[in-house]
Each structure stands twice: as C-alpha cells, then as structure tokens.
Amino acid sequence: EDQVTQSPEALRLQEGESSSLNCSYTVSGLRGLFWYRQDPGKGPEFLFTLYSAGEEKEKERLKATLTKKESFLHITAPKPEDSATYLCAVQAPYGGSQGNLIFGKGTKLSVKP
Amino acid sequence: DTGVSQNPRHKITKRGQNVTFRCDPISEHNRLYWYRQTLGQGPEFLTYFQNEAQLEKSRLLSDRFSAERPKGSFSTLEIQRTEQGDSAMYLCASSLVVLEVYSYNEQFFGPGTRLTVL
C-alpha cells in the first residue's frame, strides 16, 4: 500500500537553529513528491515539487531534497514566521489512482524568538 | 485574486441536515479535487474531476456525499443527512494537466470550508 510517513510529528526550534524534517515514502513508481506549508485554519500552500532522486529545490530558508526512499526539508536559520505544519505528499503511480495526492500527517514546526 | 476560492469558510449544522459547499478553481485549471482533513491528519482524497467529468471517487466518499462540476467550472460538494463524524475541513484544489505522462500534477488548494456538525 502506498504510504507517506513524516517525522518528527512536532519540532520546536529557537530562531536561527537550523534543522531538517523527514518524509519517507513507499510507492511503486514515484511520479512526484510535493511539499506544502499549512497555517492553522488555512489550506495547504504549495512549496516544491521533486521528481527524481538527487533533485534539490530551494526557496528562501527552505531546501527540499529527494532520495529513492525519502525527502528532507531543510530549514536554515528559521524565523518565527516559518512556524507552520509542513506536509509531504506523493503522487499516485501510473495504474493506480490518477487524481489524488497521498499525504503524510505533517510536521508541526514552532520557531521561538 | 486568481487563487482557488471556497464558500462558505465555516458551516455549523445540526445532525441530519444537508449542507452544500462551493469551490471555484483557478480559471485555466482543468482538474478539480476534493479532500477532507481532520485535526492532526493530512488531507485525504475524496474525488476529482477533469473538466466536467467525475473520474474517481474514494472509498471515503459514502452515498451521502455527492459532487458535481457542471460546465467544468466551479464545483459543489453536498453532504446529505450529516453525521457528527462528517465534522472536518473540506479542501478543494485545482491543477492543470495536459498530458498525464508528462504532468507532475501540482495541486493548488483553497482556504477550505470548516464543517461542524452538532
């Protein structure tokens, strides 16, 4: 069964303290891995798409990387405004569902000043 | 604002009542998706449309749920005879898919409709 597991469930950082969030997946034939940010009471906001192992994407203090079994979201020198839940999702492989993304439960990040 | 919009943002209803939510996707997007999200969980897929055709429904979508996308534009999600277990955030997303083989299906989400069933 296709599955996405994120760790840790929650992460507390001090402002400026860099760290990484993990997303491990089991899917037969990855077509895309997506990172989203979600603020409380709001819909997920798209951050990155990664397709192949070794690929990296960056946006401000965030950097996403992909291996054959997992993805990391690296946060460099975070600020309080980076506090949010970060969701990882994979696209279902060919032959399976063509429409949906399979999401993990997310990592809730809190950055204290 | 050219993003995905959803209405209403909040809905409180009594058990047994029917509710309907609306989603307006990004205008040039041909696919529209409905997800449900409960506290502490990631979004779970319910159904999706390509233009006006409903192409897939999740096992989560019971007979009390129905979705439409007339004319391939906005979509509605109706829940009949609501139950307390239906309380959740209902999210709509849209994407542009030209050729399935070459598409990475980046989905853009709306703000959601928070449903509370008393």
Side-chain angles (χ1 to χ4, degrees), chain A residues 23-96:
Chain A
C23 171
S24 62
Y25 60 90
T26 54
V27 61
S28 52
L30 181 70
R31 284 201 291 161
L33 185 140
F34 305 83
W35 283 98
Y36 288 84
R37 169 191 170 128
Q38 187 172 29
D39 292 302
K42 297 189 177 181
E45 174 190 347
F46 172 76
L47 292 174
F48 304 111
T49 305
L50 300 168
Y51 179 64
S52 55
E55 189 175 0
E56 299 182 351
K57 294 273 181 73
E58 284 189 69
K59 180 180 179 180
E60 296 181 355
R61 295 176 293 282
L62 300 176
K63 179 180 176 181
T65 61
L66 181 64
T67 71
K68 288 188 177 180
K69 292 190 175 181
E70 57 190 351
S71 176
F72 292 93
L73 185 65
H74 308 277
I75 303 176
T76 302
K79 298 181 178 182
E81 53 262 42
D82 295 322
S83 297
T85 294
Y86 290 85
L87 295 165
C88 171
V90 296
Q91 186 171 355
Y94 293 112

Side-chain angles (χ1 to χ4, degrees), chain A residues 31-32 34 36 38 41-46 48-49 51 57 87 91 94 96-106, chain B residues 9 31 33 35 37 40-45 48 56 89 91 100-112 114:
Chain A
R31 284 201 291 161
F34 305 83
Y36 288 84
Q38 187 172 29
K42 297 189 177 181
E45 174 190 347
F46 172 76
F48 304 111
T49 305
Y51 179 64
K57 294 273 181 73
L87 295 165
Q91 186 171 355
Y94 293 112
S97 167
Q98 297 302 305
N100 62 306
L101 297 180
I102 303 164
F103 281 87
K105 294 183 178 181
Chain B
R9 294 293 310 279
R31 281 201 179 172
Y33 313 81
Y35 290 81
Q37 186 177 27
Q41 302 294 314
E44 294 176 296
F45 171 74
Y48 89 96
E56 188 171 349
M89 174 79 88
L91 294 163
E100 189 73 46
V101 175
Y102 300 109
S103 170
Y104 302 151
N105 199 18
E106 294 170 352
Q107 299 183 16
F108 296 88
F109 284 81
R114 168 74 64 190

Side-chain angles (χ1 to χ4, degrees), chain B residues 26 55 64 84 99 117:
Chain B
I26 294 170
L55 295 187
R64 297 183 297 105
Q84 288 185 325
L99 286 174
V117 182

